Amino acid sequence: MMARLLARACCPKALPQAFRRPLGSAAAQAWSHGPLTAYMPEALAFPRPKDHQGLYKVSVEQGDTFWGALGRSRLTWITPFHSVQDCDLHQGRVSWFLGGQLNVAVNCLDRHVHIAPDKVALIWEKDEPGEEVRVTYRELLELTCRLGNTLKRQGVKRGDRVTIYMPPCPLAVASMLACARIGAVHTVVFAGFSAESLADRIRDGKKTVITVNQGLRGGKVIELKKTVDQAVKQCPGVKRVLVSMRTDSKFPITAQDVPLEEEMMKEDVCCEPAAMDSEDMLFLLYTSGSTGKPKGLVHSQAGYLLFAALTHKYVFDYQDRDIFGCMADIGWITGHTYVVYGPLCNGGTTVLFESTPVHPNPGRYWETVERLKINQFYGAPTAIRLLLRYGDEWVKKYDRSSLKVLGSVGEPINKEACEWYFRVVGETRCPVVDTWWQTGGICISPRPSNPGAEILPGMAMRPFFGIRPSLLDDKGNVLLENNISGALCISEAWPGMARTIYNDHKRFLETYLTPYPGFFFTGDGAYRTSEGYYQLTGRLDDTINISGHRLGTAEVEDALRSMLCVVLSNLMVLLLGAYVFVVLKKDSGYTQETLAAELQELISKKIAKYAAPEYIQVTHRLPKTRSGKIMRRVLRKIVEDKASELGDLTTLDDHEAVQQIIEGRKRLVEGHKSC
Ligand code: PRX
């Protein structure tokens, strides 16, 4: 269907004059000024930074000069901005590039079409290996414009919010960009979420959903349209469901359904881009918090786009002809920033990976690297750990000589996995960049483009340009020395940070800005080494990251509580791959095994498959303080197999219970390994 769509497309009409700007000449000129300005030509405008450290210093000490120069040169504006920033973390005010107007889709498409229309923008690595589809910049612009016109014809207006429930595919990217083009706000929902979770994310007044008839993942058909139908029943505000045909399978049509490709074929290949203010909303993406319902984090246009493009370029040392392979689903922020916006804003070629690391076998990633000649590979530690267990042979079978940089995202990468990634996957040639994130993009990470810079395994290392990390003690004092741990905060606003939580600014302030007034609180603990490098030590609150997907323990606990209400006496969900302790009422009728199987299935249905806990341990009691609080830190140590380091137990009410839990965990984990 997509081929037909593209075959019907005619040449794009002339681009508006405002978007015609030759690129590249500044870079060429900069080579003559030495490696630093070749790396970042704008450095010519800064007060003579000599090296990367110098450039970083400029970025934090003269933020307006730094970001102003980058904002002007790296983005194409419809109306230039008059002030670089107006930010105050005390007040919760964050505004970048004030007075400026631009269109994100123009920055990601039109300006590249003008220079290299036939350059490949997307390589869709379909679930079926070897069936990749390449989409050029010209084609992606055409798809985006047709889709934008379709949305407009269906009544979608500037500022309206549109839910996208699609697996990674070119029309999903075109849907995101079409929203950006017409000034609508997209909310992509991971296409593995259940109907209930999808409905939670459609509410808040969204009238339009874009989906596919079916998805394909790991060789299995996923009935996405059916899930949408169930979700829409709970959301009476939905007026239209645009359905793309990923497979040939027909589906029962409802009154709201609109056949997407058919409608797109009727539309023109030009769509006037909306002039958006820098701080207008670009998208909102739901993420799990430690309490309550998922929160819709809001990202705005210019600052987000610039930060996405810069981090993509400098963290991965992305060069013009490279093929960038971020394995994340577009339903996650990693997919937004490093599958779509960063690479496309840089005019790069980006891979859209639809499958799983083990389909049809555990060599899938590396076979894809060989076939597509991927230069930068960006994946989650969970996947790396999983593949490590299958052994080196699956990796060595395939040629990985194209690889230059390996990235890790979303959670700490343990030493063993990091070492394997570096030695086996990257043949000790490719630096492993452990990228630590906050809301919209990478904030602390090694930068391999910095020649001679040290990279230590499993360490996020250095802040990115413009990021000022601070460690604070529990009284809120800034810790100035090195060799110290504290709560990791960021002391100044940066362009790529989220602006608010949709319809709940109070919650945004409470989550990020009020815990340490004047600082952005990340929720993580970190250690600063004697060299000033940062090592993340884990969440200080109760959210977990599984396969790079952020999940609130509260969300899993809520779901489990509602399912187990009759038989449940107590419950505790912990970090580390979601380890659940359950205390059942007497005579519940469950055994450890029957309960685990049932709960895993229920959580998959109620939230998503990835949220299903790996371990469910049934126990008679949970360790509590004498005042009745469950001692999480004790449970955490037991789960981490560090029972000899339980710390101060003077307030513990029942030592016997702890011993039983230690033994129970041992039996459970050993049983799991021998399966
Ligand atoms: O706890 C850290 C974890 O993810 C959190 C940020 O989540 P979010 O803003 O939703 O972005 C998710 C990006 C995939 C951080 O506070 N985190 C992210 N990357 C790492 C990490 N923890 C350790 N190491 C990382 N590389």
Side-chain angles (χ1 to χ4, degrees), residues 361-387:
N361 59 50
R364 177 61 187 267
Y365 272 172
W366 323 120
E367 186 271 330
T368 307
V369 166
E370 174 182 288
R371 184 162 33 82
L372 304 186
K373 303 215 171 351
I374 289 175
N375 300 111
Q376 289 88 1
F377 180 89
Y378 195 26
T382 321
I384 306 302
R385 281 194 290 269
L386 171 76
L387 297 178

mmCIF file of all heavy atoms in Angstrom, residues 361-387:
data_model
loop_
_atom_site.group_PDB
_atom_site.id
_atom_site.type_symbol
_atom_site.label_atom_id
_atom_site.label_comp_id
_atom_site.label_asym_id
_atom_site.label_seq_id
_atom_site.Cartn_x
_atom_site.Cartn_y
_atom_site.Cartn_z
ATOM 1 N N ASN A 361 15.918 -15.418 15.665
ATOM 2 C CA ASN A 361 16.885 -16.073 16.556
ATOM 3 C C ASN A 361 17.713 -14.976 17.236
ATOM 4 O O ASN A 361 17.621 -13.797 16.873
ATOM 5 C CB ASN A 361 17.769 -17.051 15.759
ATOM 6 C CG ASN A 361 18.518 -16.329 14.647
ATOM 7 O OD1 ASN A 361 19.155 -15.295 14.885
ATOM 8 N ND2 ASN A 361 18.425 -16.828 13.430
ATOM 9 N N PRO A 362 18.539 -15.336 18.204
ATOM 10 C CA PRO A 362 19.268 -14.296 18.953
ATOM 11 C C PRO A 362 20.361 -13.584 18.163
ATOM 12 O O PRO A 362 21.090 -12.761 18.719
ATOM 13 C CB PRO A 362 19.872 -15.076 20.133
ATOM 14 C CG PRO A 362 19.142 -16.366 20.176
ATOM 15 C CD PRO A 362 18.704 -16.664 18.797
ATOM 16 N N GLY A 363 20.464 -13.891 16.864
ATOM 17 C CA GLY A 363 21.443 -13.173 16.036
ATOM 18 C C GLY A 363 20.806 -11.975 15.333
ATOM 19 O O GLY A 363 21.460 -11.280 14.555
ATOM 20 N N ARG A 364 19.522 -11.698 15.615
ATOM 21 C CA ARG A 364 18.788 -10.714 14.813
ATOM 22 C C ARG A 364 19.454 -9.332 14.760
ATOM 23 O O ARG A 364 19.608 -8.732 13.686
ATOM 24 C CB ARG A 364 17.356 -10.571 15.340
ATOM 25 C CG ARG A 364 16.525 -9.509 14.628
ATOM 26 C CD ARG A 364 16.400 -9.847 13.144
ATOM 27 N NE ARG A 364 15.771 -8.809 12.363
ATOM 28 C CZ ARG A 364 14.460 -8.765 12.092
ATOM 29 N NH1 ARG A 364 13.661 -9.686 12.565
ATOM 30 N NH2 ARG A 364 13.972 -7.801 11.341
ATOM 31 N N TYR A 365 19.864 -8.830 15.901
ATOM 32 C CA TYR A 365 20.470 -7.486 15.908
ATOM 33 C C TYR A 365 21.701 -7.455 15.000
ATOM 34 O O TYR A 365 21.904 -6.520 14.218
ATOM 35 C CB TYR A 365 20.923 -7.120 17.326
ATOM 36 C CG TYR A 365 19.892 -6.459 18.221
ATOM 37 C CD1 TYR A 365 20.182 -6.260 19.565
ATOM 38 C CD2 TYR A 365 18.662 -6.028 17.744
ATOM 39 C CE1 TYR A 365 19.267 -5.646 20.414
ATOM 40 C CE2 TYR A 365 17.749 -5.420 18.597
ATOM 41 C CZ TYR A 365 18.052 -5.234 19.921
ATOM 42 O OH TYR A 365 17.148 -4.622 20.760
ATOM 43 N N TRP A 366 22.522 -8.491 15.124
ATOM 44 C CA TRP A 366 23.838 -8.437 14.458
ATOM 45 C C TRP A 366 23.698 -8.742 12.981
ATOM 46 O O TRP A 366 24.447 -8.214 12.153
ATOM 47 C CB TRP A 366 24.829 -9.365 15.183
ATOM 48 C CG TRP A 366 24.561 -9.303 16.670
ATOM 49 C CD1 TRP A 366 24.216 -10.327 17.482
ATOM 50 C CD2 TRP A 366 24.537 -8.107 17.504
ATOM 51 N NE1 TRP A 366 23.980 -9.877 18.760
ATOM 52 C CE2 TRP A 366 24.168 -8.535 18.808
ATOM 53 C CE3 TRP A 366 24.783 -6.754 17.278
ATOM 54 C CZ2 TRP A 366 24.045 -7.624 19.883
ATOM 55 C CZ3 TRP A 366 24.651 -5.868 18.341
ATOM 56 C CH2 TRP A 366 24.295 -6.302 19.613
ATOM 57 N N GLU A 367 22.687 -9.557 12.639
ATOM 58 C CA GLU A 367 22.397 -9.799 11.226
ATOM 59 C C GLU A 367 21.903 -8.487 10.607
ATOM 60 O O GLU A 367 22.256 -8.130 9.489
ATOM 61 C CB GLU A 367 21.340 -10.916 11.129
ATOM 62 C CG GLU A 367 21.030 -11.380 9.720
ATOM 63 C CD GLU A 367 19.911 -10.594 9.049
ATOM 64 O OE1 GLU A 367 18.994 -10.100 9.756
ATOM 65 O OE2 GLU A 367 19.973 -10.434 7.825
ATOM 66 N N THR A 368 21.116 -7.742 11.366
ATOM 67 C CA THR A 368 20.614 -6.450 10.881
ATOM 68 C C THR A 368 21.782 -5.467 10.724
ATOM 69 O O THR A 368 21.852 -4.728 9.737
ATOM 70 C CB THR A 368 19.550 -5.879 11.857
ATOM 71 O OG1 THR A 368 18.553 -6.872 12.061
ATOM 72 C CG2 THR A 368 18.909 -4.622 11.329
ATOM 73 N N VAL A 369 22.703 -5.482 11.687
ATOM 74 C CA VAL A 369 23.875 -4.594 11.593
ATOM 75 C C VAL A 369 24.645 -4.904 10.306
ATOM 76 O O VAL A 369 25.015 -4.008 9.549
ATOM 77 C CB VAL A 369 24.799 -4.772 12.830
ATOM 78 C CG1 VAL A 369 26.161 -4.135 12.603
ATOM 79 C CG2 VAL A 369 24.142 -4.181 14.077
ATOM 80 N N GLU A 370 24.840 -6.203 10.027
ATOM 81 C CA GLU A 370 25.605 -6.593 8.829
ATOM 82 C C GLU A 370 24.873 -6.164 7.551
ATOM 83 O O GLU A 370 25.448 -5.545 6.660
ATOM 84 C CB GLU A 370 25.804 -8.115 8.825
ATOM 85 C CG GLU A 370 26.464 -8.616 7.541
ATOM 86 C CD GLU A 370 26.619 -10.133 7.519
ATOM 87 O OE1 GLU A 370 27.459 -10.651 8.261
ATOM 88 O OE2 GLU A 370 25.890 -10.786 6.747
ATOM 89 N N ARG A 371 23.579 -6.479 7.489
ATOM 90 C CA ARG A 371 22.811 -6.218 6.257
ATOM 91 C C ARG A 371 22.639 -4.720 6.011
ATOM 92 O O ARG A 371 22.784 -4.240 4.891
ATOM 93 C CB ARG A 371 21.452 -6.932 6.366
ATOM 94 C CG ARG A 371 20.583 -6.835 5.146
ATOM 95 C CD ARG A 371 19.473 -7.895 5.124
ATOM 96 N NE ARG A 371 18.978 -8.252 6.440
ATOM 97 C CZ ARG A 371 18.064 -7.543 7.118
ATOM 98 N NH1 ARG A 371 17.544 -6.465 6.597
ATOM 99 N NH2 ARG A 371 17.670 -7.936 8.321
ATOM 100 N N LEU A 372 22.338 -3.959 7.056
ATOM 101 C CA LEU A 372 22.088 -2.521 6.845
ATOM 102 C C LEU A 372 23.357 -1.684 6.990
ATOM 103 O O LEU A 372 23.339 -0.495 6.752
ATOM 104 C CB LEU A 372 21.029 -2.011 7.835
ATOM 105 C CG LEU A 372 19.678 -2.723 7.849
ATOM 106 C CD1 LEU A 372 18.707 -2.008 8.781
ATOM 107 C CD2 LEU A 372 19.074 -2.812 6.456
ATOM 108 N N LYS A 373 24.420 -2.306 7.440
ATOM 109 C CA LYS A 373 25.699 -1.603 7.670
ATOM 110 C C LYS A 373 25.531 -0.451 8.671
ATOM 111 O O LYS A 373 25.874 0.716 8.403
ATOM 112 C CB LYS A 373 26.305 -1.084 6.358
ATOM 113 C CG LYS A 373 26.525 -2.161 5.324
ATOM 114 C CD LYS A 373 27.749 -1.913 4.506
ATOM 115 C CE LYS A 373 28.129 -3.062 3.597
ATOM 116 N NZ LYS A 373 27.435 -4.326 3.744
ATOM 117 N N ILE A 374 24.993 -0.828 9.794
ATOM 118 C CA ILE A 374 24.733 0.167 10.844
ATOM 119 C C ILE A 374 26.059 0.653 11.436
ATOM 120 O O ILE A 374 26.959 -0.141 11.700
ATOM 121 C CB ILE A 374 23.821 -0.446 11.929
ATOM 122 C CG1 ILE A 374 22.415 -0.621 11.347
ATOM 123 C CG2 ILE A 374 23.789 0.394 13.204
ATOM 124 C CD1 ILE A 374 21.425 -1.316 12.250
ATOM 125 N N ASN A 375 26.184 1.959 11.620
ATOM 126 C CA ASN A 375 27.427 2.532 12.167
ATOM 127 C C ASN A 375 27.350 2.794 13.665
ATOM 128 O O ASN A 375 28.332 2.651 14.371
ATOM 129 C CB ASN A 375 27.763 3.847 11.452
ATOM 130 C CG ASN A 375 27.959 3.637 9.972
ATOM 131 O OD1 ASN A 375 27.162 4.073 9.152
ATOM 132 N ND2 ASN A 375 29.009 2.912 9.611
ATOM 133 N N GLN A 376 26.193 3.258 14.113
ATOM 134 C CA GLN A 376 26.021 3.478 15.549
ATOM 135 C C GLN A 376 24.860 2.600 15.990
ATOM 136 O O GLN A 376 23.771 2.679 15.408
ATOM 137 C CB GLN A 376 25.673 4.947 15.869
ATOM 138 C CG GLN A 376 26.814 5.918 15.658
ATOM 139 C CD GLN A 376 26.866 6.456 14.233
ATOM 140 O OE1 GLN A 376 26.020 6.120 13.393
ATOM 141 N NE2 GLN A 376 27.841 7.284 13.935
ATOM 142 N N PHE A 377 25.106 1.783 16.979
ATOM 143 C CA PHE A 377 24.062 0.877 17.471
ATOM 144 C C PHE A 377 23.701 1.302 18.885
ATOM 145 O O PHE A 377 24.574 1.444 19.741
ATOM 146 C CB PHE A 377 24.586 -0.563 17.461
ATOM 147 C CG PHE A 377 23.574 -1.559 17.943
ATOM 148 C CD1 PHE A 377 22.688 -2.151 17.057
ATOM 149 C CD2 PHE A 377 23.496 -1.894 19.291
ATOM 150 C CE1 PHE A 377 21.734 -3.063 17.508
ATOM 151 C CE2 PHE A 377 22.548 -2.794 19.749
ATOM 152 C CZ PHE A 377 21.672 -3.380 18.854
ATOM 153 N N TYR A 378 22.403 1.512 19.121
ATOM 154 C CA TYR A 378 21.962 2.058 20.405
ATOM 155 C C TYR A 378 20.885 1.131 20.967
ATOM 156 O O TYR A 378 19.820 0.984 20.373
ATOM 157 C CB TYR A 378 21.393 3.455 20.133
ATOM 158 C CG TYR A 378 21.193 4.353 21.336
ATOM 159 C CD1 TYR A 378 21.929 4.217 22.493
ATOM 160 C CD2 TYR A 378 20.264 5.400 21.270
ATOM 161 C CE1 TYR A 378 21.744 5.079 23.565
ATOM 162 C CE2 TYR A 378 20.076 6.263 22.332
ATOM 163 C CZ TYR A 378 20.817 6.085 23.486
ATOM 164 O OH TYR A 378 20.638 6.934 24.543
ATOM 165 N N GLY A 379 21.180 0.477 22.101
ATOM 166 C CA GLY A 379 20.220 -0.490 22.635
ATOM 167 C C GLY A 379 20.128 -0.409 24.148
ATOM 168 O O GLY A 379 20.843 0.347 24.793
ATOM 169 N N ALA A 380 19.241 -1.223 24.699
ATOM 170 C CA ALA A 380 18.996 -1.201 26.149
ATOM 171 C C ALA A 380 19.789 -2.320 26.832
ATOM 172 O O ALA A 380 19.932 -3.406 26.278
ATOM 173 C CB ALA A 380 17.508 -1.388 26.417
ATOM 174 N N PRO A 381 20.283 -2.062 28.046
ATOM 175 C CA PRO A 381 21.041 -3.083 28.767
ATOM 176 C C PRO A 381 20.298 -4.411 28.908
ATOM 177 O O PRO A 381 20.907 -5.471 28.845
ATOM 178 C CB PRO A 381 21.273 -2.447 30.141
ATOM 179 C CG PRO A 381 21.203 -0.993 29.905
ATOM 180 C CD PRO A 381 20.235 -0.795 28.798
ATOM 181 N N THR A 382 18.963 -4.342 29.098
ATOM 182 C CA THR A 382 18.209 -5.596 29.256
ATOM 183 C C THR A 382 18.391 -6.485 28.037
ATOM 184 O O THR A 382 18.558 -7.701 28.159
ATOM 185 C CB THR A 382 16.696 -5.305 29.415
ATOM 186 O OG1 THR A 382 16.557 -4.157 30.218
ATOM 187 C CG2 THR A 382 15.963 -6.467 29.999
ATOM 188 N N ALA A 383 18.333 -5.887 26.852
ATOM 189 C CA ALA A 383 18.491 -6.674 25.627
ATOM 190 C C ALA A 383 19.922 -7.211 25.536
ATOM 191 O O ALA A 383 20.139 -8.363 25.146
ATOM 192 C CB ALA A 383 18.159 -5.810 24.410
ATOM 193 N N ILE A 384 20.892 -6.382 25.923
ATOM 194 C CA ILE A 384 22.292 -6.824 25.854
ATOM 195 C C ILE A 384 22.498 -8.009 26.806
ATOM 196 O O ILE A 384 23.108 -9.018 26.448
ATOM 197 C CB ILE A 384 23.261 -5.660 26.233
ATOM 198 C CG1 ILE A 384 22.995 -4.419 25.366
ATOM 199 C CG2 ILE A 384 24.728 -6.092 26.153
ATOM 200 C CD1 ILE A 384 23.119 -4.623 23.889
ATOM 201 N N ARG A 385 21.938 -7.894 28.015
ATOM 202 C CA ARG A 385 22.070 -8.981 28.996
ATOM 203 C C ARG A 385 21.411 -10.261 28.488
ATOM 204 O O ARG A 385 21.945 -11.358 28.632
ATOM 205 C CB ARG A 385 21.419 -8.576 30.325
ATOM 206 C CG ARG A 385 22.292 -7.664 31.165
ATOM 207 C CD ARG A 385 21.772 -7.576 32.584
ATOM 208 N NE ARG A 385 20.524 -6.845 32.660
ATOM 209 C CZ ARG A 385 20.438 -5.530 32.872
ATOM 210 N NH1 ARG A 385 21.530 -4.826 33.050
ATOM 211 N NH2 ARG A 385 19.269 -4.923 32.918
ATOM 212 N N LEU A 386 20.273 -10.099 27.835
ATOM 213 C CA LEU A 386 19.562 -11.255 27.304
ATOM 214 C C LEU A 386 20.421 -11.950 26.239
ATOM 215 O O LEU A 386 20.609 -13.162 26.254
ATOM 216 C CB LEU A 386 18.234 -10.789 26.690
ATOM 217 C CG LEU A 386 17.448 -11.819 25.896
ATOM 218 C CD1 LEU A 386 16.759 -12.787 26.858
ATOM 219 C CD2 LEU A 386 16.383 -11.142 25.029
ATOM 220 N N LEU A 387 20.991 -11.161 25.335
ATOM 221 C CA LEU A 387 21.760 -11.746 24.229
ATOM 222 C C LEU A 387 23.063 -12.364 24.721
ATOM 223 O O LEU A 387 23.523 -13.364 24.170
ATOM 224 C CB LEU A 387 22.018 -10.681 23.158
ATOM 225 C CG LEU A 387 20.736 -10.150 22.510
ATOM 226 C CD1 LEU A 387 21.043 -9.067 21.502
ATOM 227 C CD2 LEU A 387 19.952 -11.287 21.846
#
